[in-house]
Amino acid sequence: MSTGTDYNLAVPSTHLVYSEILSVTSTMRKNSRWATPIAYYPTPARASASLASSLGLRAAVHTDADGASKSRQQQPVRTEVDLMVGFEQLKRDVRAASTDLLTMPLPTILAPFLALIRSPISTAPITSAALSSIRSFFCCGLISPSSPDLRPALSELSNTISHCKFDAGGNNADEGVILRIMSVVKECICSPVGAILGDIEVCEMLETVLTTCCQVRLGEAVRRAAEYHMHDLVRVMFRRLDDLQPVEEGSVGQEEDNPELRMNVSPTRESTVQTIDQVLDPSSPDAEKTPVPVVPNINMTPYGLPSITELLKVLLSLLDPTSQQHLSRSHTDSLLIPSLSTLNVTFAAAGPTIAKF
């Protein structure tokens, strides 16, 4: 992967973005929600609900506590029109840019893809296509340490893939989305841009991967793939200890008190699958379909001891027999085996260095 301004492409980066836009929008048009020809879509990014209705598109109507109708501009939920128009706007922005996208802010490029991943009306195949595009941007060097506005883009990306939402499309389709998420998480942390991620962002993504490893309701192949991804992530994370200096125990404890750094992993989650949060935590109610507001952590500092310590605490808690007495034997094994293998990789990668802290 390129770490500077050179792309691993034989064509301009604009061609890559055009190709990914075409790939995602083609998948969207296979769904009845977006079957309307693009020529009939409104040009403004914020079309009125009445115009969307006249096009046969469902524009949600929201009401407040008093029963009064709210305008869609005040809602975080994007309709079919908004999601498709977002890609058309990106095409116009890319067309107006130079032959390369070195000066275009990264959040502008990622915005329509992330909006589609966050949307509760997106299906599993559509979400999978959007995640595949994000991974292509990593592999081809479009997301690199030299990308403009990289920090807010990574913060929004990590939050989005950790709270990915989509309509259930069957167990195989849902597991396909999970595999895509695992690959994007690996690119985020293991690529050259991973060193810029903050502790909160890293903990969010680690919780997603580790929870997938322990879910007995998922297929064996998916859980094993998540486990191998987890091994790659901990190798990269614990190698950072070589660049860190041991600090006073009190200062580390103050950082660990942040509730956003806490990870929650459990194998006992069963219900219908509607979102990635419900794939990994199906006990959450259907009312949770409203997308989680994304507030980019622009001033995040690179991750270090707080996230590494939190990961170790979670792995050790999963091995604690007193905390797993209420689980069945199959659930207990689903926790112990991934935790032990991950700890084994951890000590193999940085055993002597851990002792210094």
Side-chain angles (χ1 to χ4, degrees), residues 212-231:
T212 305
C213 297
C214 302
Q215 286 299 304
V216 293
R217 63 184 305 277
L218 297 177
E220 181 74 11
V222 175
R223 289 189 284 118
R224 288 293 170 262
E227 187 175 339
Y228 296 146
H229 278 85
M230 192 69 190
H231 294 172

Side-chain angles (χ1 to χ4, degrees), residues 50-239:
S50 60
L51 181 55
S53 177
S54 67
L55 292 174
L57 300 172
R58 294 182 289 275
V61 177
H62 302 274
T63 57
D64 55 18
D66 299 329
S69 174
K70 292 184 179 180
S71 64
R72 188 172 55 81
Q73 287 84 347
Q74 298 174 342
Q75 299 300 324
V77 180
R78 288 187 141 193
T79 64
E80 294 91 331
V81 174
D82 295 310
L83 295 172
M84 183 64 79
V85 169
F87 287 101
E88 291 302 307
Q89 180 61 45
L90 177 59
K91 287 170 65 176
R92 288 192 290 268
D93 292 341
V94 173
R95 193 178 302 118
S98 58
T99 56
D100 213 341
L101 300 179
L102 293 176
T103 59
M104 179 174 288
L106 189 56
T108 301
I109 300 175
L110 300 182
F113 298 95
L114 299 184
L116 192 60
I117 296 172
R118 288 193 302 265
S119 175
I121 64 176
S122 177
T123 61
I126 295 173
T127 303
S128 181
L131 289 166
S132 179
S133 296
I134 298 294
R135 186 176 184 276
S136 295
F137 294 155
F138 275 105
C139 296
C140 297
L142 189 60
I143 302 178
S144 68
S146 60
S147 300
D149 296 338
L150 177 62
R151 289 180 181 271
L154 286 179
S155 179
E156 184 174 2
L157 174 59
S158 64
N159 185 283
T160 298
I161 62 178
S162 299
H163 302 88
C164 172
K165 295 181 177 293
F166 60 91
D167 284 340
N171 192 53
N172 292 335
D174 299 335
E175 290 184 352
V177 175
I178 295 176
L179 290 175
R180 295 288 189 186
I181 291 176
M182 298 301 104
S183 63
V184 174
V185 169
K186 181 179 178 180
E187 293 292 341
C188 282
I189 297 180
C190 299
S191 68
V193 302
I196 304 176
L197 290 169
D199 288 299
I200 296 176
E201 288 73 23
V202 168
C203 285
E204 284 181 338
M205 292 186 286
L206 287 177
E207 180 179 350
T208 300
V209 179
L210 188 56
T211 303
T212 305
C213 297
C214 302
Q215 286 299 304
V216 293
R217 63 184 305 277
L218 297 177
E220 181 74 11
V222 175
R223 289 189 284 118
R224 288 293 170 262
E227 187 175 339
Y228 296 146
H229 278 85
M230 192 69 190
H231 294 172
D232 292 335
L233 299 181
V234 298
R235 287 190 186 99
V236 172
M237 288 187 60
F238 280 87
R239 284 173 187 155

